[in-house]
């Protein structure tokens, strides 16, 4: 599914992280990838994260999944929305929805949340921290957008939901199947179903917060710092006021900390590992019996296609012209030569057919064996 009449450079320059954009009829041949009943089924399953939001006379109510089938079949004709997180991890046709947005690097992509709403159903006016492409899949939804919000924007008092207490729409549109609304972080928005069976696919992004980066990186750095590295001042001069902490001492203290944090190679290795840690590690592709090098060689020789676990996070950082670090679900693999090229192919595509020469590369076979046993990839021997 490709985007049509969409100028990527213009989008990145004018809209990405800056302002909302409505894209009408965004796909050549839009086909809704999931039926309403299938989404309801996922919301009842143990392995998915789901929510049901109902607007009642007494206000907004939220129920956490998994939901009972009777609960869903007993819902009324209006004012409810069912939301399932990371549907792309379970339904390949929903995962395919991410492909058109791969002009944004994979490490910034989070997952696809899918909502199913009855007439007038919605989650209420709110803002998100992350960019999102709201793809209208089935039925119609009226989207309103409002001003930029932040931590000071007043919210309704509610235990579970962060809804804006004072939402004033600045623009609104009714989206039809195949239309997309891009909403950058912080922009107030409110989507209300117009009619039954309204399905919206949220292709969501992620971005690390400064607090997360600092907190986790400092922990990692601390692991490698010996206890006996203390502040030293062999050049100490007599002070006129012994009560002062001098600017020189402060600068040296701060420098002591900053220099531990400023090694780019250490940061790259840590960040790749941190960023590739999976959010939903439960989708377990690990083989019951561990795969061995011989199995991998046989799979390469049989030209079996290699599939990536949709819940796995794969990325690489180049360290030289033909060397790189491959990060797979929080584990770092140093690769070079043909193995580095293979790692790049696996990061670029969901399905890779391997060059048969790789069977003769012990490093490549070893990498594939380890990735299979970690459950990040699997050889597809269906047919
Ligand atoms: C929805 O699909 O109803 C909600 C998506 C959003 O506003 O983030
Ligand atoms: Co939102």
């Amino acid at each position: 599914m490709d985007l049509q009449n969409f100028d990527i450079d213009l989008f990145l320059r004018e809209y990405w992280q800056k302002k909302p954009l409505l894209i009408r009829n965004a796909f050549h041949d839009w086909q809704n990838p999931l039926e309403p009943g299938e989404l309801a089924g996922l919301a009842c399953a143990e392995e998915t994260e789901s929510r049901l939001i109902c607007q009642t006379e007494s206000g907004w109510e939220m129920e956490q999944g998994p939901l009972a089938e009777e609960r869903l079949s007993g819902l009324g004709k209006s004012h409810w929305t069912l939301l399932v997180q990371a549907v792309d991890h379970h339904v390949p046709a929903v995962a395919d929805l991410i492909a058109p947005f791969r002009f944004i690097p994979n490490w910034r992509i989070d997952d696809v949340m899918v909502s199913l709403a009855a007439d007038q159903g919605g989650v209420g006016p709110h803002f998100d921290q992350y960019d999102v492409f709201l793809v209208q899949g089935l039925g119609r939804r009226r989207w309103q957008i409002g001003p930029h919000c932040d931590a000071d924007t007043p919210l309704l008092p509610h235990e579970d939901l962060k809804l804006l207490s004072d939402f004033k729409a600045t623009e609104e549109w009714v989206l039809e199947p195949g239309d997309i609304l891009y909403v950058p972080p912080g922009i107030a928005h409110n989507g209300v179903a117009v009619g039954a069976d309204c399905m919206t696919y949220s292709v969501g992004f992620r971005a690390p917060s400064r607090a997360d980066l600092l907190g986790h990186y400092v922990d990692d750095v601390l692991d490698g710092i010996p206890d006996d590295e203390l502040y030293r001042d062999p050049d100490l001069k007599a002070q006129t006021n012994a009560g002062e902490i001098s600017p020189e001492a402060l600068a040296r203290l701060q420098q002591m900390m900053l220099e531990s944090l400023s090694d780019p190679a250490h940061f790259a290795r840590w960040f790749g590992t941190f960023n590739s840690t999976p959010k939903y590690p439960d989708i377990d592709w690990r083989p019951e019996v561990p795969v061995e090098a011989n199995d991998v060689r046989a799979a390469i020789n049989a030209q079996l296609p290699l599939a990536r676990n949709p819940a796995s996070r794969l990325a690489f950082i180049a360290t030289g012209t033909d060397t790189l670090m491959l990060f797979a679900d929080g584990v770092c693999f140093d690769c070079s030569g043909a193995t580095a090229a293979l790692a790049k192919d696996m990061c670029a595509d969901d399905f890779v057919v391997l060059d048969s020469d790789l069977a003769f590369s012990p490093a490549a076979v070893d990498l594939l064996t380890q990735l299979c046993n970690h459950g990040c990839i699997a050889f597809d021997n269906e047919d």
Side-chain angles (χ1 to χ4, degrees):
M1 212 137 27
D2 290 330
L3 294 175
Q4 62 179 358
N5 306 324
F6 181 76
D7 183 334
I8 291 174
D9 293 330
L10 178 76
F11 170 78
L12 291 175
R13 203 170 54 241
E14 303 285 332
Y15 298 96
W16 173 250
Q17 297 241 302
K18 300 169 204 71
K19 55 186 185 200
L21 175 66
L22 172 70
I23 312 162
R24 287 275 184 210
N25 199 11
F27 302 91
H28 288 295
D29 46 355
W30 173 254
Q31 276 176 354
N32 182 39
L34 193 70
E35 293 304 315
E38 293 175 294
L39 188 75
L42 283 171
C44 301
E46 282 290 338
E47 60 272 18
T48 55
E49 191 182 322
S50 58
R51 281 168 299 158
L52 174 66
I53 297 181
C54 299
Q55 204 181 358
T56 67
E57 273 165 21
S58 52
W60 293 91
E61 285 172 11
M62 203 269 277
E63 286 163 59
Q64 204 80 50
L67 296 148
E69 267 178 60
E70 308 77 66
R71 175 73 185 105
L72 296 186
S73 52
L75 286 166
K77 287 215 172 324
S78 71
H79 292 96
W80 57 261
T81 299
L82 185 61
L83 302 119
V84 183
Q85 228 52 58
V87 177
D88 54 309
H89 296 180
H90 305 275
V91 184
V94 173
D96 289 346
L97 260 188
I98 303 177
F101 304 101
R102 297 248 188 237
F103 57 88
I104 295 157
N106 289 346
W107 75 268
R108 294 281 274 110
I109 295 175
D110 191 8
D111 54 31
V112 185
M113 178 185 81
V114 186
S115 67
L116 168 66
D119 186 31
Q120 297 175 67
V123 302
H126 66 279
F127 69 97
D128 299 302
Q129 302 284 358
Y130 305 107
D131 308 79
V132 64
F133 287 98
L134 298 157
V135 180
Q136 188 60 25
L138 185 70
R140 304 196 302 155
R141 184 184 286 277
R142 173 172 289 107
W143 278 106
Q144 299 179 311
I145 53 162
H148 194 275
C149 307
D150 58 28
D152 297 328
T153 306
L155 301 179
L156 288 177
H158 197 288
E159 261 185 35
D160 308 304
L161 300 170
K162 289 186 174 155
L163 299 178
L164 300 172
S165 58
D166 176 31
F167 174 71
K168 284 198 185 63
T170 49
E171 265 181 290
E172 69 169 55
W173 309 272
V174 174
L175 271 69
E176 307 274 345
D179 293 346
I180 302 178
L181 177 64
Y182 162 73
V183 183
I187 296 289
H189 54 285
N190 185 30
V192 180
V194 180
D197 282 345
C198 168
M199 291 183 78
T200 304
Y201 298 77
S202 299
V203 179
F205 292 81
R206 62 193 176 117
S209 71
R210 192 194 295 266
D212 264 358
L213 283 175
L214 203 54
H216 288 90
Y217 189 46
V218 166
D219 278 349
D220 185 76
V221 167
L222 277 178
D223 281 345
I225 293 184
D227 293 339
D228 60 357
E229 276 189 16
L230 303 187
Y231 175 79
R232 306 264 180 235
D233 48 4
D235 50 355
L236 184 69
K237 302 277 179 322
Q239 272 185 210
T240 44
N241 185 336
E244 182 181 8
I245 301 170
S246 71
E248 295 77 24
L250 271 178
R252 185 176 288 185
L253 287 160
Q254 199 180 6
Q255 195 50 36
M256 247 178 112
M257 292 191 312
L258 294 181
E259 76 194 12
S260 307
L261 298 177
S262 66
D263 176 3
H266 185 169
F267 180 73
R269 186 173 289 267
W270 168 80
F271 181 71
T273 310
F274 170 72
N275 188 259
S276 72
T277 303
K279 185 157 107 185
Y280 298 104
D282 302 349
I283 302 185
D284 195 348
W285 275 27
R286 279 176 301 177
E288 274 170 33
V289 180
V291 166
E292 290 181 13
N294 272 342
D295 306 319
V296 168
R297 269 191 288 269
I300 299 173
N301 287 329
Q303 289 284 284
L304 294 183
L306 193 64
R308 240 167 63 179
N309 180 340
S312 269
R313 290 181 162 170
L314 248 63
F316 74 89
I317 293 178
T319 48
T321 43
D322 77 340
T323 56
L324 56 78
M325 294 181 280
L326 170 69
F327 303 98
D329 294 340
V331 182
C332 175
F333 301 89
D334 289 286
C335 307
S336 63
T339 313
L342 163 68
K344 281 189 184 175
D345 288 346
M346 287 191 290
C347 289
D349 288 308
D350 294 345
F351 278 90
V352 179
V353 177
L354 300 173
D355 184 341
S356 49
D357 285 352
L358 285 172
F360 301 104
S361 161
V365 170
D366 181 49
L367 175 67
L368 291 166
T369 310
Q370 292 201 56
L371 292 176
C372 285
N373 288 330
H374 273 101
C376 309
I377 56 170
F379 284 97
D380 189 355
N381 55 2
E382 292 268 284
D383 342 273

